Amino acid sequence: MTIKELLLQEIDNTPQELLEDVLSFLRSLKTTPQASLATYQELLARIDYLEAIVGIRKGLDEFKQGEGIPAEEALATLKNKFNIPPRP
């Protein structure tokens, strides 16, 4: 699945109210020099959220295709690399 397809899927799952807010913000960029800071921050937060979803889905798809390493192996590697002691 491409990033575009994932984003479109995420948009389909997004409440209409939020999409209208984002669209309203984008329209305001064309008409007003100073957009609402709260709306802008909400848009940035939503973009971060979408990027996280895309990254997680991409990682899961790669893992399903046999790429990547199991979590236990990754954690063991990190413990060795950073000399993290075992939990009591």
Side-chain angles (χ1 to χ4, degrees):
M1 191 174 258
T2 67
I3 292 178
K4 179 180 177 182
E5 291 168 333
L6 291 171
L7 287 173
L8 289 173
Q9 182 180 1
E10 186 60 30
I11 288 171
D12 287 342
N13 295 327
T14 300
Q16 188 66 29
E17 299 162 346
L18 182 58
L19 292 175
E20 289 171 0
D21 289 344
V22 170
L23 183 58
S24 173
F25 168 74
L26 293 174
R27 284 186 182 135
S28 75
L29 291 177
K30 287 180 68 176
T31 59
T32 59
Q34 294 291 333
S36 166
L37 183 58
T39 304
Y40 179 70
Q41 289 173 335
E42 289 173 13
L43 179 60
L44 290 179
R46 187 65 181 170
I47 289 170
D48 285 343
Y49 173 78
L50 290 173
E51 288 176 343
I53 295 294
V54 168
I56 290 167
R57 288 182 178 168
K58 183 179 176 192
L60 290 173
D61 287 343
E62 289 173 356
F63 195 76
K64 286 179 186 175
Q65 295 172 5
E67 300 172 15
I69 58 174
E72 294 83 14
E73 187 178 331
L75 291 173
T77 301
L78 290 173
K79 285 180 182 180
N80 289 335
K81 182 176 181 177
F82 296 107
N83 297 321
I84 298 171
R87 295 180 91 182

